[in-house]
Amino acid sequence: MRRPWWYTYGWITTAGLLGGGAFAQDTPAPHVPVLDTIIVRALKEDLTLEQTAASISHFTQQEIDQRNARTLSDLFRYEPGVSVEEGPAGALNDVRIRGIGADRVLLLVDDVPLPPSYSFGRDVATNRNFFDLDAMKVVDVIKAPMSTLYGGSALAGGVLMRTKDPEDFIAPGEQFGGEVRMGWQSRTREFLAGVTTAAHLTDELSAFMRITQSRGHELANHLGRGSGDETGPARERPDPADTRMSNVLAKVVYDTGADHRFSLSYENFRNQVEQDLLSDVGPGRMMPNIVAQPPLFPYEQLENHTRSINRREQWVLRHEFQRSGPLFDKGYWQLDFQKNKTLQESEELRKTASAPAIPGIANQLRYRTRDADYHYRSAGLSAGFNNQIDAGSAQHHLSYGWSLRRTKAHTMRNGDSIDLYAGRSVEHETLPVQGEPDSTMLEAGLYVQDRLALYDGRVELIGGLRFDHYRLSPEKNTLYEASNPQALPPASMRESHLSKRLAVLYHPSDQHTLFANYSEGFKAPDFNDVNTAYVNDSYRVVRQANPDLKPETSRMLEVGWNYRDDQRYLSLVGYHTRYRNFIEFKPVGRNAMGYTVTQTVNLDRSHIYGFELKAGTDLLHFASGSVVGASVSAAWARGRDLDTHEPIDSVDPLTFTAGLNWRQSDRFFAELRLRAVGPKRESEISQALKNQGVTRTPGYATLDLFGEYKFNRSLVINAGVYNLLDRKYWSWNRTQLQHLRADTFHRHTQPGINAGVTLKYLF
């Protein structure tokens, strides 16, 4: 079999990195890779990457800037085992870790979880775009179940983000500081502008405020922007869109410099996307995977305009302290409040066709509107403590804490249909309507973890336990009862779960670490999984509630080897994860009226296994202080439903990256990065997706160039050119989640050659 050119190149490069390279052996003054000094807090204690016994990736503010990253898709572009699904305007739809996403990946901003996604029928589908990456100073990715520390929703792992602090903008010895930032990228024609001011008000008190705004358009495909008047599912250009984002972040910090640090932060985020869905024009769409018959009210779509607004308002009060005592050496407590709101609106122009069963509706010109509200409020109180205990030949590092969170969810859908010829309402639904009752969720957790060091630290054992209790309490609601008169009474739910973790680390030398890690995850059913109910007469669909749902669970075993010295690093990990009781929305039969009955149900068993590689080395050192380095990464995975023996579509194909970088002190950085993705073959695609015409996607390779240059202390430029070879390709994580038909593939290509630049002025 003939191998693609990047396959041979990749393995030659990998062999060179692992072999050490002749260039690096005799060079003086070796450069210490940044990874050697990384301290991560993702596991609720200050650890180096070698001590974590887990697959964790750590991104600092410098790395975010150097990659010119505006979204998580930009930041995780070369990260093995992590993929990001982007929306039509480049916004975040979903994050998948090792093939699992859809709210099974925990997203945290300052230890506060972002709301889960929500969908209702054809008109409502929210995303997880509730934050501004430009406000973050650190992003950590845990690629493993971690419910022993973070409770529910960390079924497959998590993305943990921390916002910036006043000291990030104030130079040592100065009282005031700040920055002005401007940026532009061609793939969404987005223009970004931000201003930050920070000050030391006293020796112990500091504060800053940051305002960021951006304006953009639809995410381009290989043909470019969403221009032209071509309509229908076969449209090849993206649908036109306009986007607006604004974010305000303010923080006050009181730091004694010794034992106590208080911080109070406020963030107000707003993102708006308006779309003209030209691809939706034409005969009324079916509902994929649900309905096999035409709608009861057939129509032709003439126009469809949508607007979606995400808002998040968050307050966080946090106290970190150090105080030696019998119970702890240091710890923290945090109080937070978050208010999220999603508004989705649509305006459609439809021309109805004749329906033999319903005379008199032919040739109506209908103006149809739908407004959907999704409110999600949460308040949390948590605390954590660390304690070092010296027991002679053994040392214990004990971590323990608790968390309590109360969340309230509210949904409502409204609208009307007006016959423009007759000038009257012809809406067949009773609106407004609620598909689920207002619900309150209470989550309480208690965790403890012990790190035991033996034989002068050569061997470490980690054991962790967490007990979680989840309670769902639906409220009596007249609107819900009127909307669903035949539905079962809303069900409450109480679930408890014990999560476990056990890890072993062996350090044969200061450079080598071998580890084995067993960890568990769980996720309680969301409020809409349990109690959503509705009847859609147009498509003859009934949604039934399911009060008997069980929590989703995961069990993972991974083994790995980490190597680091002054000039090289290597991480090789193999893993196997078993999942039980996945919650999935699917048809379960038909009722006496012939309507399709749908429900969220628990699937039985599935598993995903694979390996990941990350390696890097310094190749050349110059007398001027410049260093030339190289890096590679790879991810391979397979997944299967153990009952149906069908492959899991969300697992990405083989991915390989290789890069050459040039850096000079802290002033200049440039990297040329190859990213190659293998084909998704027919044997790796489920029958359900094949039935929609998705039988395979071709492999591809792209080449990117990006970097940073500091003209002086005050002026910094970051720039990148992506897909330098202008390759036409499809991203699998976007293709399979869109449930595409074969005739829509051209519209969903990725952008061709594109560029981005950011200019930052520090004062």
Side-chain angles (χ1 to χ4, degrees):
M1 181 179 65
R2 187 173 181 268
R3 303 290 191 184
W5 65 270
W6 55 263
Y7 182 95
T8 304
Y9 174 81
W11 284 111
I12 291 174
T13 306
T14 305
L17 289 176
L18 302 187
F23 294 105
Q25 298 299 320
D26 302 320
T27 52
H31 169 80
V32 179
V34 177
L35 282 173
D36 284 354
T37 59
I38 285 178
I39 301 295
V40 297
R41 298 170 56 188
L43 299 187
K44 299 195 175 181
E45 47 181 325
D46 295 336
L47 300 171
T48 65
L49 285 173
E50 294 83 0
Q51 295 175 312
T52 59
S55 298
I56 296 180
S57 296
H58 181 80
F59 299 90
T60 63
Q61 179 182 339
Q62 182 182 34
E63 290 169 300
I64 296 172
D65 289 343
Q66 286 178 347
R67 296 191 180 189
N68 204 29
R70 286 288 301 124
T71 65
L72 289 185
S73 178
D74 299 332
L75 186 61
F76 298 157
R77 191 193 308 265
Y78 315 111
E79 184 60 31
V82 182
S83 58
V84 177
E85 182 207 349
E86 294 180 292
L92 173 68
N93 267 3
D94 193 22
V95 178
R96 294 210 309 276
I97 294 178
R98 294 174 175 173
I100 299 298
D103 299 329
R104 299 176 179 108
V105 172
L106 183 65
L107 299 184
L108 296 178
V109 174
D110 289 338
D111 282 343
V112 182
L114 295 180
S117 56
Y118 169 76
S119 63
F120 188 99
R122 162 184 197 272
D123 299 308
V124 184
T126 69
N127 57 35
R128 308 189 75 184
N129 191 47
F130 282 90
F131 62 93
D132 175 21
L133 184 62
D134 199 45
M136 307 304 165
K137 65 181 294 183
V138 170
V139 178
D140 290 323
V141 182
I142 304 178
K143 303 184 207 174
M146 202 52 67
S147 288
T148 50
L149 293 177
Y150 291 98
S153 298
L155 188 79
V159 178
L160 287 59
M161 296 171 277
R162 296 209 316 269
T163 55
K164 295 174 180 177
D165 292 306
E167 56 263 29
D168 297 319
F169 304 99
I170 305 174
E174 300 291 336
Q175 291 294 113
F176 300 95
E179 72 172 27
V180 177
R181 179 186 295 254
M182 293 184 294
W184 174 84
Q185 59 177 3
S186 65
R187 65 176 192 153
T188 57
R189 292 172 289 146
E190 179 194 59
F191 179 77
L192 165 76
V195 178
T196 304
T197 57
H200 281 300
L201 305 178
T202 68
D203 291 341
E204 298 175 330
L205 186 65
S206 60
F208 85 98
M209 175 174 284
R210 180 179 184 83
I211 301 175
T212 308
Q213 289 195 340
S214 70
R215 299 290 186 271
H217 300 278
E218 71 281 350
L219 176 65
N221 65 8
H222 194 264
L223 287 175
R225 57 183 292 185
S227 59
D229 55 4
E230 180 188 8
T231 60
R235 175 180 167 84
E236 294 191 354
R237 288 184 176 271
D239 291 326
D242 294 315
T243 67
R244 296 183 178 184
M245 187 278 294
S246 64
N247 190 52
V248 176
L249 174 64
K251 187 177 291 189
V252 178
V253 176
Y254 179 76
D255 192 345
T256 64
D259 299 331
H260 297 277
R261 184 182 189 273
F262 293 89
S263 64
L264 175 64
S265 65
Y266 170 75
E267 189 170 11
N268 192 317
F269 173 85
R270 186 182 190 274
N271 186 73
Q272 176 177 308
V273 178
E274 294 189 35
Q275 279 189 278
D276 185 6
L277 298 180
L278 298 179
S279 61
D280 198 43
V281 173
R285 293 185 298 149
M286 302 298 102
M287 300 178 70
N289 295 327
I290 302 297
V291 182
Q293 67 261 30
L296 193 62
F297 301 94
Y299 64 90
E300 180 183 359
Q301 189 87 11
L302 302 180
E303 294 181 8
N304 191 356
H305 304 276
T306 65
R307 183 173 70 153
S308 177
I309 301 174
N310 284 354
R311 294 173 177 166
R312 177 175 64 89
E313 193 172 5
Q314 178 172 299
W315 294 86
V316 179
L317 174 63
R318 186 179 178 93
H319 176 207
E320 300 176 5
F321 50 88
Q322 297 188 32
R323 182 178 179 181
S324 297
L327 296 180
F328 55 83
D329 298 323
K330 60 181 180 179
Y332 79 93
W333 62 264
Q334 176 172 302
L335 176 66
D336 61 76
F337 173 76
Q338 184 179 195
K339 181 170 64 175
N340 302 276
K341 181 178 180 180
T342 295
L343 171 65
Q344 292 194 321
E345 302 172 327
S346 66
E347 296 178 307
E348 302 172 73
L349 191 61
R350 294 178 172 184
K351 183 178 181 181
T352 59
S354 61
I358 307 176
I361 73 164
N363 298 321
Q364 286 183 353
L365 190 63
R366 292 187 177 185
Y367 173 68
R368 180 180 185 267
T369 63
R370 287 294 183 267
D371 304 327
D373 287 317
Y374 173 39
H375 295 232
Y376 198 86
R377 298 187 179 190
S378 71
L381 180 63
S382 61
F385 307 90
N386 299 105
N387 196 14
Q388 294 272 10
I389 303 174
D390 191 345
S393 60
Q395 289 78 42
H396 295 265
H397 188 115
L398 193 64
S399 302
Y400 60 96
W402 54 269
S403 63
L404 182 66
R405 181 163 301 280
R406 184 179 184 271
T407 305
K408 189 169 184 178
H410 164 81
T411 66
M412 189 176 69
R413 191 166 59 101
N414 205 348
D416 200 355
S417 292
I418 299 173
D419 183 352
L420 297 182
Y421 293 142
R424 59 185 176 86
S425 176
V426 290
E427 180 59 59
H428 65 276
E429 287 189 71
T430 301
L431 295 170
V433 64
Q434 269 193 309
E436 48 278 311
D438 293 349
S439 302
T440 300
M441 287 76 74
L442 184 66
E443 301 169 271
L446 180 67
Y447 73 90
V448 60
Q449 178 173 279
D450 185 25
R451 175 185 296 270
L452 175 63
L454 303 170
Y455 304 108
D456 296 326
R458 293 294 182 188
V459 177
E460 292 182 282
L461 303 177
I462 303 173
L465 291 173
R466 181 181 177 110
F467 176 79
D468 281 279
H469 179 73
Y470 171 85
R471 187 177 70 193
L472 169 65
S473 303
E475 301 178 9
K476 288 188 176 182
N477 190 297
T478 304
L479 181 57
Y480 172 76
E481 294 173 353
S483 304
N484 305 279
Q486 298 179 352
L488 296 174
S492 59
M493 176 177 285
R494 293 174 181 263
E495 294 285 351
S496 297
H497 190 83
L498 183 66
S499 303
K500 301 173 286 295
R501 185 192 180 206
L502 179 63
V504 180
L505 298 93
Y506 174 54
H507 309 280
S509 67
D510 292 341
Q511 293 79 30
H512 294 270
T513 300
L514 303 174
F515 71 87
N517 178 41
Y518 169 81
S519 61
E520 296 181 352
F522 89 101
K523 180 181 181 300
D526 289 328
F527 72 100
N528 53 317
D529 291 328
V530 177
N531 285 320
T532 298
Y534 64 83
V535 176
N536 188 319
D537 290 316
S538 293
Y539 287 96
R540 289 169 277 182
V541 175
V542 176
R543 170 77 178 264
Q544 287 186 346
N546 189 351
D548 299 321
L549 286 174
K550 300 176 183 178
E552 301 173 315
T553 61
S554 61
R555 297 180 178 181
M556 185 212 65
L557 177 64
E558 64 179 344
V559 294
W561 168 39
N562 290 324
Y563 175 84
R564 278 178 172 79
D565 62 19
D566 290 341
Q567 300 179 50
R568 291 173 290 270
Y569 69 87
L570 179 143
S571 175
L572 181 62
V573 175
Y575 63 90
H576 183 275
T577 310
R578 284 184 173 267
Y579 298 94
R580 291 185 67 92
N581 298 324
F582 264 12
I583 296 174
E584 185 173 294
F585 175 58
K586 60 187 300 184
V588 294
R590 293 187 184 276
N591 64 10
M593 298 175 60
Y595 283 28
T596 300
V597 179
T598 63
Q599 194 177 45
T600 50
V601 298
N602 286 116
L603 305 183
D604 196 2
R605 300 173 301 155
S606 58
H607 71 166
I608 296 176
Y609 57 92
F611 78 86
E612 294 164 4
L613 165 73
K614 294 178 72 172
T617 188
D618 289 345
L619 297 175
L620 291 168
H621 295 261
F622 298 95
S624 62
S626 298
V627 180
V628 174
S631 63
V632 297
S633 68
W636 175 89
R638 289 290 184 270
R640 190 164 295 275
D641 186 311
L642 295 177
D643 294 308
T644 64
H645 304 290
E646 286 279 287
I648 297 176
D649 290 321
S650 56
V651 174
D652 289 317
L654 171 67
T655 303
F656 171 83
T657 74
L660 286 173
N661 60 76
W662 178 22
R663 55 193 183 273
Q664 184 173 21
S665 183
D666 193 34
R667 185 170 185 179
F668 175 78
F669 172 84
E671 182 164 6
L672 183 67
R673 179 79 74 147
L674 168 76
R675 183 174 186 266
V677 178
K680 192 74 170 179
R681 296 181 173 87
E682 187 173 358
S683 60
E684 302 167 21
I685 300 175
S686 71
Q687 188 60 48
L689 215 52
K690 292 177 187 175
N691 292 340
Q692 299 178 60
V694 183
T695 56
R696 69 184 307 274
T697 54
Y700 62 89
T702 60
L703 198 62
D704 304 330
L705 176 64
F706 53 92
E708 176 181 84
Y709 182 72
K710 297 182 179 179
F711 295 94
N712 50 48
R713 178 191 170 279
S714 299
L715 190 60
V716 183
I717 186 171
N718 297 96
V721 182
Y722 309 96
N723 196 4
L724 278 164
L725 304 179
D726 199 26
R727 179 68 186 272
K728 182 179 180 179
Y729 69 99
W730 291 262
S731 172
W732 174 250
N733 65 66
R734 187 176 180 189
T735 300
Q736 64 92 17
L737 288 172
Q738 298 265 348
H739 298 295
L740 304 179
R741 299 192 307 267
D743 60 355
T744 66
F745 274 6
H746 289 290
R747 187 168 76 253
H748 292 280
T749 55
Q750 291 293 294
I753 184 170
N754 62 97
V757 61
T758 302
L759 189 65
K760 181 170 61 175
Y761 177 73
L762 307 173
F763 58 87

